[in-house]
Amino acid sequence: MKLRELADRLNCRLEGDGEVNIRRVAGIEHAGPGDLTFVANPKYNALLPQTRASAVILAPDAAARPSSAAVLRSDTPYLTFAHAVGLLTDASPPPRGIDRLSAIAADARLAGDVSIGAFVTIGAGASSGSRRVIYPNVVVGPGARVADDCVIHSQASIRERVVIGNRVVVQDGAVIGSDGFGFVKQADDTHLKIPQHADVVVEDDVEIGANTTIDRPAVGETRIRAGAKIDNLVQIAHGVTIGERTLLAGQVGIAGSTIVEDDVVMAGQVGVAGHLRIGKGVVATAQTGIPNSLEPGEFVSGYPAIANRDWLKASAIFRHLPALKNRVVELERRIAELEEKLAACRTPSDR
Amino acid sequence: MKLRELADRLNCRLEGDGEVNIRRVAGIEHAGPGDLTFVANPKYNALLPQTRASAVILAPDAAARPSSAAVLRSDTPYLTFAHAVGLLTDASPPPRGIDRLSAIAADARLAGDVSIGAFVTIGAGASSGSRRVIYPNVVVGPGARVADDCVIHSQASIRERVVIGNRVVVQDGAVIGSDGFGFVKQADDTHLKIPQHADVVVEDDVEIGANTTIDRPAVGETRIRAGAKIDNLVQIAHGVTIGERTLLAGQVGIAGSTIVEDDVVMAGQVGVAGHLRIGKGVVATAQTGIPNSLEPGEFVSGYPAIANRDWLKASAIFRHLPALKNRVVELERRIAELEEKLAACRTPSDR
Amino acid sequence: MKLRELADRLNCRLEGDGEVNIRRVAGIEHAGPGDLTFVANPKYNALLPQTRASAVILAPDAAARPSSAAVLRSDTPYLTFAHAVGLLTDASPPPRGIDRLSAIAADARLAGDVSIGAFVTIGAGASSGSRRVIYPNVVVGPGARVADDCVIHSQASIRERVVIGNRVVVQDGAVIGSDGFGFVKQADDTHLKIPQHADVVVEDDVEIGANTTIDRPAVGETRIRAGAKIDNLVQIAHGVTIGERTLLAGQVGIAGSTIVEDDVVMAGQVGVAGHLRIGKGVVATAQTGIPNSLEPGEFVSGYPAIANRDWLKASAIFRHLPALKNRVVELERRIAELEEKLAACRTPSDR
């Protein structure tokens, strides 16, 4: 695509040669001729003068500029970069239509413009909206409903009666609607399974990562609210609610019945106990373990989770605990010596 | 179902109108007309008077009671709730029979009353017991043996020669019998794979969660004993034994050759090192890291795992380490002052 | 196989009866007649005299020896054990050829000697080298390239345009090339997906564990270098590089754009933040959380990761924090007493 056309479609002001052909977007360290790159973080400014890219997306007030590349000015360089990637790449969806090697129940209701790959199973009474893309080997259970413009990648399992909104993306191998981990201990110490057949709802604009699992509950529902983004290998237990626009990074685990409110951010491997409420806008750093409910806006770390500021300070001391202990030992020695001296000192004055 | 019939089938004493129709079981906060709810935990007693449910399961000695709903009395309200969910919900299994779009080896031995969905592969010499339900896109490897009344959900992989007992439930995407992570470092620093072809045995009444992985060893066996329940995304390495009735919550990881004895409970994201013995009845709270063997009955937390009681106390101090350090600094200041004064004090008496 | 033949093929000196038939390799605790076992770790020497195995692999200078079993002498007993397992076991691959129930794109290029199981999908323009084994229900996306002698187990998803080298083993359910977790926050607080269509390269001799996920980036590449071994349920985010011969144990997570250099070892559940460089030969113990780059050769533990030696010492004190705090309280009491006494003591001498 000509840079001039790209500038138009990205709503950027063009500085330089608009006739150059742009083939792809690349990071500033690897970009070469034919590449569009970007600087959103000033720490990469130093790389700008010698970049070999053909064009660079820059903020209007960017301090540095490339020596030879053209410039696309944008108030939001990172957002413009995201749009540029979309314009210059292709998703290779399966061809429009329904692969003949699929198993679609006779009463499943599919819009006419779906793409359904090989070995896809769609159960009785399931329904599918427009422009849905289902990659090979996906299973959609009986009665599941998937709305418009969804993309379901290979090997995903959408269990019976799960409801999925518009523009949802499900990555490969994700499981939505597996049985919650609910058992009752019986008199003989064995565990009776509580049947888990209640609802799972995934609202609009959600993304669900590869091999992530979202359980269904025995009663009530598990709900992923609009715009939540969930990374790979995340565990969402039965009856959990994930708030709007909440971000859960890889390998996060949320135990049963916990409510995560809107705009929460959890970094990788965070764990949250069951039956809690995590307030709007909470941020938890990687590996944080959250055993109690949190107020809106808290910024937490550690296990058990405490305020990030306190955790940073305490962690800085943790590594010096041996030294701290030695200082206590030394204090004990000095004080014993003082006590002895004072006894000696007082004796004369007691005379 | 009429409440009177439900009471009969649940062995509960009915107080109130037995003619009301019950459609489903619901949590007390969400229950409405036509719902059966329950109170097993006294902290929900306060919600009881205003519930809109048609009926409530209550202990014989429950302090509160609903203002209008009927009551089912049970000595074990939570267990009765579990049974009620089973009576009032449906699992939507695939239809009885073998889907014509499946690949069943000529010499596989299947009982006559199985349900096998589309795109299921059953390898050479594999066998399957009665009333087994296999959802679409499952792979059962050559020589694997699955006993009676099992349910294998979509996308699961049961590898070659794995042995599965009666009434086992395997959730979607679980892998049983993948190669253990066993390598030998060679003189050139590369790692030679030790072939992992030995046995995996899953005994009766086990549940295995979605996308959980259970590896096979090079020699010996990996064994999940009767009644163990394993949640989603759990890693069971090669040669591990999981004891009877043991519960492993989401994202737990057990390293190679470790023996977990009976009735152990591990909360989410617990990790256990290899070649250990975790004694009967051990309980580990979430995110605990266990580097050493544990005696039966230990209750542990933290990493490295210590007694939960000690961990709670130490963690409470951890967050106040900066204050503790300041107290030590202050002590050092005071003791230096004292030492100086004492020197001054002693000087006159030494004269 | 006769022990004499096994000794020849393993290049071991045989001591004892070479005519005995060896059926399998077994651990020393479980070995019986017909089994070959081994002792690579001197702590198992005590079990040697009473072993019921027919033969034992031992180092030339091994202190103990079995009372009745034959001996195979090897300079590297564990390596010889690994080779012996390979000679005495069978992998049960699917039969040579392409299952008729597979969906191979018309323009896919497959070598003549591949084994492709049922319900395998191979996308347009994908290519496959010699002696490749693809188990049932695998999906290989359009344009993906898999070289010679690879084994791809059931339910794996190799996404579009992923490049896989020679002798790579992919375990069941692994996902290679899923979309990276890349979003840009927009003015209305929603997150715009950055299309993730760039490259993923898996070099020669890599092993990828069951249900592990490897994401593709928006720009640049994700690369797993030659000889790296990755266990189950590991998360490799977009743009990550994993070095040669690096070992990642179960449930490790590496955040975006981090570079892990060669010969690194991470034990189970380790987490690494994004945009870091982990130097050659770094070792991290289980559950370590790494928030900053590490120099080559560091040996770290804890979260935030510190030198293992310091962490061991600090952890040993952590559990005694209540006692340490009590010692500080006691010091404060004693020093207050001293201060009081000294005030009394000084008073007379001031007179």
Side-chain angles (χ1 to χ4, degrees), chain A residues 145-167:
Chain A
R145 302 203 314 266
V146 182
D148 295 346
D149 297 294
C150 290
V151 178
I152 318 281
H153 285 278
S154 294
Q155 317 286 17
S157 177
I158 314 292
R159 287 272 298 265
E160 64 275 11
R161 289 175 288 103
V162 166
V163 175
I164 294 188
N166 298 296
R167 296 172 303 280

Side-chain angles (χ1 to χ4, degrees), chain A residues 288-304:
Chain A
T288 295
I290 302 180
N292 298 304
S293 291
L294 295 173
E295 293 301 308
E298 290 197 57
F299 176 23
V300 297
S301 298
Y303 178 49

Side-chain angles (χ1 to χ4, degrees), chain B residues 137 157 159 193 215 303 327, chain C residues 155 172 207 232 286 332:
Chain B
N137 293 52
S157 178
R159 288 272 297 265
K193 181 179 174 78
D215 275 359
Y303 177 49
R327 287 163 73 174
Chain C
Q155 317 287 16
D172 310 67
E207 175 136 355
N232 299 346
E332 287 170 336

Side-chain angles (χ1 to χ4, degrees), chain C residues 195-208:
Chain C
Q196 308 278 317
H197 297 309
D199 300 337
V200 177
V201 180
V202 177
E203 298 182 357
D204 294 348
D205 298 301
V206 166
E207 175 136 355
I208 294 172

